[in-house]
Amino acid sequence: MNKTIDRKTFLSYLGTGAAALAAASAGLGTLNGKASAMSSTADHLFGFNTNRVSGYFEPIAPSSEDKLLLPKNFKYDVVAAFDDVINAAGERFGEGSDYNAYFPLEGSNVRGLLVTNHEYSTIFSLGPVKDGKMTKEQLHNNLYYQGMSVIEVYRDEKGVWKMDINSSHARRINGYTKFDLTGPAKGGSALGGATTAVGTFANCSGGVTLWNTVLSCEENFAETAAASSLPETHYGWVIEIDPFDKKYLKKHTALGRFNHENTAMGIAKDGRVVVYMGDDKKDACVYKFISKGQYNKSLGRGNSALLEEGTLYVANLKKGEWVPVTLEAVSKAIKDKPELQKKFVTQGDVVTFCQEAALLVGGTPTDRPEDIEISPFDNTIFICHTNNDNHGNIHGHITRIFEGGSDLGSLTFDFEIFAAGGRQSGFSSPDNLAFDSNGHLWVVTDISSSSQNKGVHKSFMNNGLFVIPTSGPDQAKALQFASAPVESELTGPFFTPDEQTLFLSIQHPGENTTDLNKPTSRWPHRAGDSKARSGVVAISGFKLG
């Protein structure tokens, strides 16, 4: 890749709206549309109110340094890192920072609430675990440091982003927080008759709803549940919180129970709410939920009830069909299997054991479907299929789904491989996606720590953040915007509405550390820090074209 792209050339990439990517033979598909086609719904979903571009930068080279590297003229501020105090009560910022969502206070681009997911604990929060069994203190820390943080952030007069620890909104949501259950599994036998559930953990990515709440996804929950002797079926759901209301806490069982990565919410042509979801494991499926009722903006948060009743579907890629994951469909598929008939008696059973049910009705196993986003141009759906070494998809790809009639409520679709990871595109193992307001894709990668800088991953070095421009020549390779510290991944990219700040998580730096006296990473290298700390940064330096 030519690393000496001049300012004028790169501005032509970022400033002309969506036109065309390189041919599929170069590893990239085609994105059509114009920025002016962005709907008010898309504006809300992607956090933008304008068609401003995210600005010019000079792409950086891959790096193996223990630093967060950015292009020339960009800077970052560490807003919060693991174990930082977040409020007057002394609560601490969690570990394994992942998804971020910024909520302006009084419409401000420089002061707001930042919601961050915390996916899992490491040696830095637990200490060494002897013989695979955690102590009482370690079990407590494991539940405490996972979940979510709500903090208040602001940019001071010197342009530095900081956390306001005196905020009345700041709080933790974790393995001790009580949630109300909703939907078909509530009170059912699969959940032991429970109508509430204690705790959330393994919180990976998420999404913002049309009514300004956050959906957070419980992903690899089984290990934590087992370690703490918690009922496994109470976890693996999509949860909903309101950053501005500490008492609003729900788990929506109608959206299915699996290794949730994120949610992407939109509206069908008939007004029903649609939620797309990926199941982040090898040979897992892609889902969407369509509400029974229609979205009514005037109801505000009352629209949350739409997530309690509707139909869950799974993608059959061979047929190009969304297949219902319902008791009726499952019963038909197991009519000659009496043992399974005992397992799937109610719709609550179907959503609780969703992974098995989805395959029974004809869902297509895919290659770790992680982040899913809806194009702000044309309602096409972008899916990061991170990788699957079970059958040779080492570098992953980004799939693009075309819904029938460009209607999110359609039950038929077509698809293409929009971008293929590998040497030809310059990135491997795509994970999270974000669009800027001109429709350009921002992609973070998830090469496992054990594979970084080795073998076929050697040329990519550390994980990174990349931009795929939507116009201009020389499109065969993604443009690298950031390089992550050692043994970390970059996650949860989220812009402020004016696109002048990008919030980004640095997850599990120094993940392979076995001796706390010899950490493999010391990011964020703050004064007094002696070990690695996952955290969230605010990136500044974007210039409007």
Side-chain angles (χ1 to χ4, degrees):
M1 177 181 174
N2 178 13
K3 298 294 182 182
T4 58
I5 300 174
D6 63 32
R7 183 178 191 278
K8 183 177 180 181
T9 300
F10 198 79
L11 278 173
S12 74
Y13 290 166
L14 291 181
T16 57
L21 286 165
S25 61
L28 301 172
T30 302
L31 175 64
N32 296 315
K34 295 182 178 179
S36 60
M38 194 185 304
S39 69
S40 59
T41 298
D43 290 343
H44 177 97
L45 292 175
F46 294 102
F48 303 114
N49 299 314
T50 72
N51 280 336
R52 294 178 178 180
V53 299
S54 295
Y56 145 81
F57 68 89
E58 295 178 6
I60 67 171
S63 171
S64 58
E65 291 188 77
D66 187 33
K67 296 179 179 179
L68 174 59
L69 298 177
L70 301 174
K72 180 181 178 181
N73 298 324
F74 286 81
K75 74 175 183 78
Y76 72 86
D77 303 311
V78 179
V79 175
F82 158 63
D83 217 30
D84 286 351
V85 173
I86 66 169
N87 58 20
E91 291 186 288
R92 304 277 181 157
F93 198 71
E95 202 187 6
S97 301
D98 203 299
Y99 176 74
N100 297 295
Y102 175 82
F103 292 80
L105 286 169
E106 299 180 356
S108 175
N109 288 295
V110 297
R111 181 177 282 272
L113 300 186
L114 185 68
V115 179
T116 300
N117 280 352
H118 301 294
E119 187 174 358
Y120 63 93
S121 306
T122 70
I123 191 173
F124 298 114
S125 58
L126 301 179
V129 176
K130 295 182 180 180
D131 301 322
K133 188 173 183 179
M134 286 186 272
T135 65
K136 184 177 180 180
E137 181 182 4
Q138 288 174 325
L139 288 170
H140 165 72
N141 288 342
N142 194 38
L143 292 176
Y144 179 83
Y145 284 115
Q146 294 186 62
M148 306 174 74
S149 291
V150 179
I151 63 174
E152 187 168 331
V153 296
Y154 68 98
R155 192 177 71 198
D156 70 12
E157 65 279 358
K158 295 182 180 179
V160 178
W161 280 91
K162 298 178 179 179
M163 174 171 52
D164 184 353
I165 63 172
N166 295 313
S167 172
S168 61
H169 297 289
R171 67 190 188 277
R172 285 298 316 285
I173 299 159
N174 56 30
Y176 297 102
T177 306
K178 186 176 180 179
F179 289 81
D180 292 323
L181 292 165
T182 78
K186 176 182 178 179
S189 60
L191 273 66
T195 58
T196 62
V198 176
T200 187
F201 39 78
N203 300 77
C204 191
S205 191
V208 176
T209 68
L210 296 166
W211 44 94
N212 225 35
T213 61
V214 174
L215 298 179
S216 176
C217 294
E218 298 174 341
E219 190 189 30
N220 296 310
F221 55 88
E223 185 175 349
T224 295
S228 295
S229 300
L230 295 168
E232 185 174 303
T233 57
H234 289 200
Y235 310 96
W237 304 104
V238 173
I239 72 168
E240 182 183 12
I241 71 149
D242 186 335
F244 298 94
D245 184 347
K246 298 178 182 180
K247 296 181 180 180
Y248 188 84
L249 300 153
K250 297 183 177 183
K251 292 197 179 193
H252 292 297
T253 69
L255 301 183
R257 175 178 163 269
F258 44 88
N259 299 96
H260 283 276
E261 172 72 20
N262 88 314
T263 65
M265 181 179 286
I267 301 179
K269 286 185 176 180
D270 63 7
R272 292 178 296 164
V273 165
V274 183
V275 183
Y276 292 88
M277 299 167 287
D279 184 3
D280 182 13
K281 73 170 192 173
K282 297 175 183 179
D283 301 317
C285 299
V286 176
Y287 299 84
K288 79 174 178 183
F289 170 85
I290 304 178
S291 66
K292 180 179 179 181
Q294 296 176 318
Y295 173 68
N296 182 346
K297 185 176 181 180
S298 66
L299 294 178
R301 200 175 69 181
N303 284 288
S304 175
L306 295 172
L307 302 181
E308 300 178 16
E309 189 174 6
T311 303
L312 184 65
Y313 296 89
V314 66
N316 183 310
L317 296 179
K318 186 174 182 179
K319 295 181 178 179
E321 296 177 356
W322 292 102
V323 182
V325 188
T326 60
L327 180 61
E328 180 183 6
V330 171
S331 297
K332 183 178 180 180
I334 61 174
K335 64 181 187 304
D336 298 322
K337 300 176 180 179
E339 288 303 311
L340 286 177
Q341 290 172 14
K342 295 177 183 178
K343 184 173 187 176
F344 295 102
V345 177
T346 68
Q347 183 62 22
D349 299 329
V350 171
V351 295
T352 301
F353 306 108
C354 188
Q355 290 168 322
E356 185 177 358
L359 294 176
L360 286 170
V361 300
T364 301
T366 66
D367 297 339
R368 289 185 61 200
E370 293 209 49
D371 205 42
I372 301 179
E373 299 293 346
I374 304 168
S375 167
F377 293 97
D378 54 12
N379 276 351
T380 56
I381 314 305
F382 290 78
I383 306 168
C384 277
H385 281 101
T386 297
N387 53 44
N388 189 344
D389 58 7
N390 282 351
H391 38 73
N393 188 358
I394 306 301
H395 297 302
H397 58 272
I398 300 172
T399 304
R400 182 187 182 198
I401 285 181
F402 302 82
E403 294 282 32
S406 297
D407 180 6
L408 301 185
S410 175
L411 299 184
T412 61
F413 64 88
D414 199 354
F415 77 96
E416 68 181 13
I417 303 303
F418 176 76
R423 291 176 61 90
Q424 81 287 349
S425 57
F427 67 87
S428 176
S429 306
D431 187 341
N432 294 156
L433 295 173
F435 284 92
D436 64 28
S437 64
N438 223 26
H440 309 297
L441 278 173
W442 294 67
V443 184
V444 293
T445 60
D446 183 13
I447 303 170
S448 68
S449 295
S450 60
S451 296
Q452 288 176 28
N453 294 286
K454 299 175 184 177
V456 297
H457 293 97
K458 190 172 184 178
S459 64
F460 306 103
M461 299 191 180
N462 293 352
N463 280 310
L465 169 61
F466 299 81
V467 179
I468 301 178
T470 58
S471 62
D474 194 21
Q475 302 289 296
K477 295 184 179 180
L479 305 169
Q480 187 162 356
F481 180 85
S483 177
V486 167
E487 295 169 5
S488 72
E489 57 177 303
L490 303 177
T491 57
F494 199 96
F495 285 100
T496 52
D498 64 357
E499 291 187 64
Q500 294 300 284
T501 301
L502 173 64
F503 292 103
L504 187 68
S505 288
I506 288 74
Q507 188 181 77
H508 60 68
E511 182 180 32
N512 288 338
T513 295
T514 56
D515 183 348
L516 287 173
N517 294 314
K518 299 177 182 178
T520 55
S521 169
R522 294 182 184 271
W523 189 91
H525 305 284
R526 300 180 303 183
D529 280 346
S530 60
K531 60 184 180 181
R533 299 181 187 271
S534 62
V536 179
V537 300
I539 298 174
S540 306
F542 297 97
K543 307 295 183 184
L544 298 183

